[in-house]
């Protein structure tokens, strides 16, 4: 048996080592993703599942925001909210 504290500490270590990234689609839950390259997500507001979107990351958006603001952009994250294929029919 393993305590939740042990699990959360290990998740934090994996995140610090760059093995996983936190996906904050819902303020009540933190999910972790093994896919490290920048990409976008879909979040179902009914079942709270998070899905990857098979579209290309838009690096031009980083360039545009950096040019038009006083920020140095490292990356951006976008999560689309809605209902997944299972929940939209129920």
């Amino acid at each position: 048996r393993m305590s939740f504290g042990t699990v959360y500490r290990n998740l934090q270590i994996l995140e610090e080592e760059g093995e996983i990234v936190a996906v904050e689609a819902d303020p009540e839950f933190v999910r972790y993703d093994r896919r490290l390259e920048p990409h976008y997500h879909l979040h179902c507001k009914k079942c709270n599942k998070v899905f990857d979107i098979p579209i290309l990351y838009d690096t031009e958006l980083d360039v545009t925001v950096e040019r038009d603001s006083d920020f140095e952009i490292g990356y951006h994250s976008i999560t689309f909210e809605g209902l997944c294929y299972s929940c939209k029919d129920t």
Side-chain angles (χ1 to χ4, degrees):
R1 299 190 73 178
M2 190 180 308
S3 73
F4 283 118
T6 300
V7 171
Y8 292 126
R9 276 191 300 280
N10 282 291
L11 287 170
Q12 184 175 4
I13 290 168
L14 289 170
E15 185 179 15
E16 290 169 0
E17 292 177 350
E19 297 294 322
I20 60 175
V21 292
V23 177
E24 298 179 29
D26 185 314
E28 294 185 29
F29 300 100
V30 176
R31 290 170 173 80
Y32 293 92
D33 198 339
R34 288 182 38 208
R35 188 172 166 198
L36 301 179
E37 71 275 0
H39 62 283
Y40 304 121
H41 294 100
L42 298 163
H43 172 236
C44 179
K45 297 295 283 181
K46 188 171 184 180
C47 69
N48 273 324
K49 289 181 182 176
V50 176
F51 304 88
D52 289 343
I53 303 173
I55 60 174
L56 294 176
Y57 179 85
D58 185 1
T59 56
E60 188 59 36
L61 188 55
D62 296 337
V63 172
T64 300
V65 171
E66 189 167 282
R67 182 187 64 232
D68 296 343
S69 69
D70 194 24
F71 277 76
E72 181 178 318
I73 305 299
Y75 71 96
H76 67 272
S77 63
I78 295 175
T79 301
F80 295 88
E81 304 284 335
L83 296 176
C84 71
Y85 53 89
S86 296
C87 292
K88 70 179 179 180
D89 295 328
T90 59

